[in-house]
Amino acid sequence: MKKIISSLFAVATLSVMLSPFMQTTNATTFKDVSSSHWAKAAIDEAVSKGYFKGYADGTFKPGAQVTRAEFAVLLDRVSSNEKAEGKGTFTDLTGNWSEKEVNEAIAKGFLTPSDYPNGFKPATPLTRKEMAKWMSSGLATSSADYKQALSDTANTVVPVAEYFKKTMSPSEYPYVSLMMGTGLMSGYADGTFGASKTTTRAEAAVILVRLANVQKQSADSFVGLKELRAVGTTGTNMEVITPFSSGVTSFKNVQGKKANYRYGFGSTSLEYIIFVDTQNWSQKKSIYAPVFVSENENTSWEKDYFRAYVNQKVYPLKNDFSLSNYMSSFIDRLASGSSIKNSLPLKYGYKTLDSENPDGQFKPYINQSQGMNIWTYSFVSIDKPANYFKVEDGSYFSITK
């Protein structure tokens, strides 16, 4: 009788330890995944390739949250990184169903144990921040180019609301940039990345299918990532998106440096210049297009121009510094752009020229060291792109064709 009880107890204990990923069904037709389910194709592919397995009752549970342990196992299965047998690192993984695969994922470069000083806590739902960092780290381990991409995007403009609202840590810029630049992950409809949100099995299936393809490609093959890298290293995506050139100059030479307005009215500095190609309105080119360009802004003459969105700081000195002073006190139009008159500044959280308070908007910044940080835009002609911006130390930036 004691042997029977012990056997039953062992089976019960084992069933608690087993993950849903340990189920044996490989069916690609699940009772809870209809033919119209948004992720059905990815779920079918992920199951057919052995990344996921369904449940014994014929369900997939697409809306169930994915845990740390589960995603580590999935990465181990999908990864093309050099196989490595990892040694035990976390004491709370001893005897866990995922122990071997988690340790392998660590050895393959996906996880950094020091990120979890209080234990791995395998049953904890995985956040999108963790997912982004794990996949980025794995790609960087497998490729020097992806590793360089992480370095290149340390100071980039990340096209999500958290970046502009300053609720994203700079340490997250590279990981989020690599995910968005390769298309592995994207933002939500409200413009956010949602780093603290968790991920469902359906979402994980989509992302894993993408990862299987991304790891076969070079970092340089993704235009969006090239933009993010260029902005991070030079301050502009101009030479990725447009046919323009800076010639012998470089925007990096003038980035963040002050240029004086006429008559001692103040000064300005250009921080970033983001170009968007809207010549084909239905196929706008630039990873930054959703951040700046509204769908109701289409114009018939725009096919002859590129849009240039400029991040600048304005340092007014004149006591009654006004919008007219801003617009007329500098020669180059990149430094005297127009207000972005759509709802995107509010959605993403960046500041543009205030059309409701055109003169008073400068008052709080008069003789203040921090400057007024705004985004404006102007059009650069395809045929005659000539622009010239010179700063106090004599450095300059020009746009040529």
Side-chain angles (χ1 to χ4, degrees), residues 376-393:
T376 62
Y377 85 103
S378 59
F379 291 95
V380 179
S381 169
I382 294 175
D383 294 329
K384 298 178 180 180
N387 280 261
Y388 183 87
F389 181 80
K390 188 174 182 179
V391 296
E392 288 183 47
D393 69 2

Side-chain angles (χ1 to χ4, degrees), residues 30 58 66 72 84 90 137 193 214 231 246 268 334 340 359 361 389:
F30 299 103
V66 173
F90 298 108
S137 298
F193 180 74
V214 168
V231 171
S246 58
T268 186
L334 288 175
I340 302 173
D359 293 337
Q361 63 186 316
F389 181 80

Side-chain angles (χ1 to χ4, degrees), residues 136-393:
S136 295
S137 298
L139 288 169
T141 299
S142 67
S143 164
D145 199 18
Y146 280 113
K147 184 177 181 180
Q148 185 62 48
L150 287 179
S151 176
D152 290 346
T153 52
N155 295 305
T156 196
V157 174
V158 189
V160 293
E162 292 94 333
Y163 169 84
F164 295 99
K165 294 179 180 179
K166 302 188 183 304
T167 57
M168 174 182 286
S169 167
S171 65
E172 297 174 51
Y173 294 177
Y175 304 115
V176 176
S177 293
L178 191 56
M179 292 298 98
M180 298 193 71
T182 58
L184 273 171
M185 298 174 72
S186 58
Y188 289 94
D190 63 357
T192 64
F193 180 74
S196 62
K197 291 184 177 180
T198 55
T199 305
T200 65
R201 281 167 59 87
E203 292 169 333
V206 172
I207 290 170
L208 289 169
V209 169
R210 291 174 182 169
L211 177 60
N213 292 320
V214 168
Q215 66 186 357
K216 299 175 185 176
Q217 303 175 62
S218 68
D220 201 48
S221 65
F222 298 97
V223 176
L225 184 55
K226 287 178 70 173
E227 284 187 78
L228 292 164
R229 295 175 72 173
V231 171
T233 55
T234 70
T236 180
N237 64 343
M238 181 180 73
E239 294 190 358
V240 178
I241 290 297
T242 77
F244 306 146
S245 170
S246 58
V248 297
T249 69
S250 169
F251 179 69
K252 190 70 177 177
N253 293 337
V254 302
Q255 185 181 25
K257 295 181 181 179
K258 288 184 178 180
N260 290 329
Y261 286 140
R262 295 171 179 169
Y263 316 122
F265 287 170
S267 60
T268 186
S269 64
L270 303 189
E271 308 297 315
Y272 295 98
I273 304 178
I274 305 295
F275 284 83
V276 179
D277 180 356
T278 56
Q279 293 171 71
N280 184 339
W281 191 257
S282 63
Q283 296 181 6
K284 291 179 283 294
K285 297 177 182 178
S286 176
I287 196 171
Y288 294 100
V291 177
F292 298 112
V293 184
S294 175
E295 288 302 319
N296 61 7
E297 294 180 296
N298 191 8
T299 55
S300 59
W301 52 264
E302 198 163 327
K303 59 182 176 59
D304 297 322
Y305 296 84
F306 282 92
R307 292 187 179 214
Y309 291 87
V310 179
N311 179 217
Q312 69 179 128
K313 290 183 179 179
V314 178
Y315 303 88
L317 293 177
K318 183 185 177 186
N319 286 333
D320 58 348
F321 190 93
S322 66
L323 182 61
S324 62
N325 295 142
Y326 165 81
M327 297 298 294
S328 63
S329 60
F330 209 87
I331 298 174
D332 194 276
R333 60 182 176 274
L334 288 175
S336 55
S338 301
S339 173
I340 302 173
K341 296 179 180 179
N342 56 41
S343 62
L344 294 174
L346 180 62
K347 177 179 178 178
Y348 282 90
Y350 56 85
K351 190 172 184 177
T352 188
L353 289 172
D354 189 347
S355 57
E356 295 184 1
N357 184 26
D359 293 337
Q361 63 186 316
F362 299 101
K363 189 174 181 178
Y365 302 94
I366 294 174
N367 287 310
Q368 298 299 310
S369 61
Q370 74 270 25
M372 176 182 175
N373 192 313
I374 55 174
W375 284 88
T376 62
Y377 85 103
S378 59
F379 291 95
V380 179
S381 169
I382 294 175
D383 294 329
K384 298 178 180 180
N387 280 261
Y388 183 87
F389 181 80
K390 188 174 182 179
V391 296
E392 288 183 47
D393 69 2

